[in-house]
Amino acid sequence: MNQNRLVTVALTALAPVSWGSTYFVTTQFLPADRPLFTGMMRALPAGLALLALTRRLPRGDWWWKAAVLGALNIGAFFPLLFLSAYRLPGGMAAVIGSVGPLWVAGLAALFLGEKPTLRTLLTGIAAALGVSLVVLKAAGAFDAIGVIAALGSSASMSAGTVFTKRWGRPEGVGPLVLTGWQLTAGGLLIAPVAFFVEGAPPALDGRNIAGYVYLALVNTAVAYWLWFRGIGRMTATSVTFLGPLSPLTAAVIGWAALGQALAPVQVLGMAIAFGATLAGQVTPKKAAESTQSFSSAEDNQRELSMDVTSRSMRR
């Protein structure tokens, strides 16, 4: 793995690491039992802030593409994820969600021509096994709606990852702009559902506001920018194999900040899941060359744009 790819992987990995803090922030800083409102507050303010910062709106067919990606990555993903977390026994939602690499492997073969290898499938199974050892707890009733919601959230995010890779970005549009479009579209999709299901927004104190500011800026705006940036520079399968870092981070935060004990089997699970994450970054030579070519072309286009701008300013 060359240095540029190592940096790209490390920066992209910060996204699921950040998402791993969501449970801690939600339970310690936010109002209870308002998952849809929380989803809206994560996405919409961050999206509007990025739109104001970048001052760029979609054009042509990117209106509907941005809406579809926003629905898959944000608008459908957040509510389904929270619904599964509320209805399933402890950790079950994370276990079902950890099959994301297998979803992506299948979708990438269908839409991107990235043929899954036996190593990819075995690595995906190992990742799901490792996560299950870390978070799965025996308790609670098995809930069909919760299982469907968990599978739906995983499939939604996986499809969003694949189609973000397939469609790329419009010429001259960076990942920050694309992030703003998707967060705004997803937040607008969640907002009416949140008000219909949960009613008026709750009264917020300073602690709640601090939690929402963190979720909107660090956990969502910055994290999703890094995630979409990584999708543009890596294969879809490699990106999704970073996903298990989220439940692993949540487990570490629970141990360090909440005093939750880690049993030996959980430590073993963390080692297996982390090993699968590393193994998922080893891409076939052809796919790596293709991604590198895309990244190099993107860099050349950016340099050309900067050169044109510089010449225009000198004139």
Side-chain angles (χ1 to χ4, degrees), residues 138-154:
F142 196 73
D143 185 276
I145 294 178
V147 171
I148 293 172
L151 288 172
S153 67
S154 179

Side-chain angles (χ1 to χ4, degrees), residues 47-310:
L48 293 175
L50 291 181
L51 287 183
L53 177 65
T54 58
R55 294 184 293 179
R56 186 80 177 266
L57 293 176
R59 293 183 179 180
D61 59 359
W62 268 98
W63 279 103
W64 69 264
K65 286 182 178 179
V68 170
L69 293 178
L72 291 172
N73 287 315
I74 309 296
F77 174 67
F78 280 179
L80 289 173
L81 179 67
F82 283 123
L83 176 61
S84 65
Y86 271 79
R87 297 187 68 103
L88 291 176
M92 177 65 78
V95 173
I96 297 175
S98 68
V99 302
L102 299 178
W103 279 115
V104 169
L107 292 172
L110 189 61
F111 294 103
L112 302 178
E114 296 180 9
K115 296 182 179 180
T117 63
L118 179 61
R119 181 184 59 81
T120 298
L121 298 178
L122 292 177
T123 304
I125 293 172
L129 173 63
V131 171
S132 68
L133 292 177
V134 174
V135 302
L136 190 58
K137 301 175 182 177
F142 196 73
D143 185 276
I145 294 178
V147 171
I148 293 172
L151 288 172
S153 67
S154 179
S156 178
M157 185 67 167
S158 298
T161 297
V162 169
F163 281 105
T164 299
K165 182 70 176 179
R166 178 179 174 86
W167 290 336
R169 300 191 298 268
E171 184 177 351
V173 169
L176 195 65
V177 175
L178 185 63
T179 302
W181 294 350
Q182 294 191 51
L183 290 176
T184 301
L188 289 174
L189 183 64
I190 297 173
V193 179
F195 289 126
F196 178 78
V197 174
E198 298 178 349
L204 303 178
D205 58 23
R207 189 177 183 84
N208 301 150
I209 293 173
Y212 282 126
V213 168
Y214 168 80
L215 287 183
L217 294 182
V218 178
N219 189 270
T220 304
V222 174
Y224 272 94
W225 167 61
L226 291 172
W227 186 252
F228 295 138
R229 176 184 179 276
I231 291 175
R233 295 166 180 259
M234 302 162 59
T235 66
T237 304
S238 294
V239 172
T240 198
F241 267 113
L242 296 174
L245 292 176
S246 181
L248 298 187
T249 302
V252 171
I253 292 176
W255 167 74
L258 302 178
Q260 298 174 351
L262 286 175
V265 68
Q266 290 177 292
V267 176
L268 174 62
M270 294 175 72
I272 294 174
F274 188 69
T277 297
L278 294 179
Q281 304 317 305
V282 180
T283 58
K285 184 177 180 181
K286 184 176 179 181
E289 290 175 349
S290 175
T291 303
Q292 181 63 36
S293 297
F294 175 84
S295 180
S296 297
E298 184 183 55
D299 292 340
N300 291 338
Q301 178 64 36
R302 183 162 52 247
E303 290 174 3
L304 178 60
S305 300
M306 292 174 64
D307 182 56
V308 171
T309 303
S310 176

